[in-house]
Structure formats: C-alpha cells, structure tokens
Amino acid sequence: AAINPTAEPVRGWRGFGGASPSACALNGTWKLLFTDAADATFRKGKRGKANTFQEIDAEGGWFVNCVDFENPDSKLKGFRVFVEGDALSPTEIQLSFRKVRLLRRSRFPKLFGQ
C-alpha cells in the first residue's frame, strides 16, 4: 500500500468514506496479466487456453473472478467465482467467498443452426 499511486483505493466501495460507488478506483473489468490464484491457473489441456479477468462491482460489493476456456469442444465453457467484499479501511477489504458458477456448454445438439 505504501507505493500504491491511489491513496484510498477503497473509497466509494459500497459508499465507503461517503463517496459514490462510481468513484471507486477498483470498479470495472480488469484483465489479469498475472495471477497465482488457484482458481485462475491452468495447464493447457482438454479445456484449451484459459482467459482470466475480474469484474468488480463497487456498488454491489462484489469481485467476480472469471475464467473462460477457448476450446469449443470442451464441456466446460468457463466458471465464475463470486467473492463479496466489506470495506475495513481506505486500503483494505475483507473478502468472503460466496459461490462458484460453472458455465457448461449444452449437452444437447444445436437446434435450428443456433
């Protein structure tokens, strides 16, 4: 936090610090250039290359870790890990893992060319 160019990155998180959630520096979609998080690191395999990103909703207080697989033949299209955050200070958020949603490809043949 000492070298973070944003002095109060949590300001606005669910209205923290009296600021609007739209003012929160964390709000938005972030492409993950590097991660060692277990839910976002994969070896190339049957699922194909994994694309990882994070959607952050400062108004609702959610971090959604997103993983999408490129292989169209994989049964698993991707998954989402939902993490709720509560502001503790201008620089800290307490995280609570809430759920995982699997994005499966249909087990049924495509009907009518769709």
Side-chain angles (χ1 to χ4, degrees), residues 69-86:
F69 299 112
E70 289 185 358
N71 185 349
D73 297 324
S74 172
K75 292 179 184 178
L76 187 63
K77 183 178 178 180
F79 63 90
R80 304 293 183 260
V81 178
F82 292 80
V83 181
E84 191 171 17
D86 292 311

Side-chain angles (χ1 to χ4, degrees), residues 6-64:
T6 306
E8 295 184 345
V10 180
R11 183 171 163 75
W13 185 263
R14 288 182 165 172
F16 183 81
S20 168
S22 63
C24 184
L26 300 173
N27 205 38
T29 300
W30 296 77
K31 180 173 176 50
L32 300 180
L33 298 178
F34 171 81
T35 182
D36 60 359
D39 65 347
T41 54
F42 300 94
R43 284 180 270 143
K44 275 191 174 179
K46 290 189 262 184
R47 293 176 297 267
K49 182 181 174 191
N51 295 312
T52 59
F53 57 100
Q54 188 174 53
E55 294 177 346
I56 300 176
D57 175 7
E59 184 173 357
W62 290 98
F63 295 88
V64 182

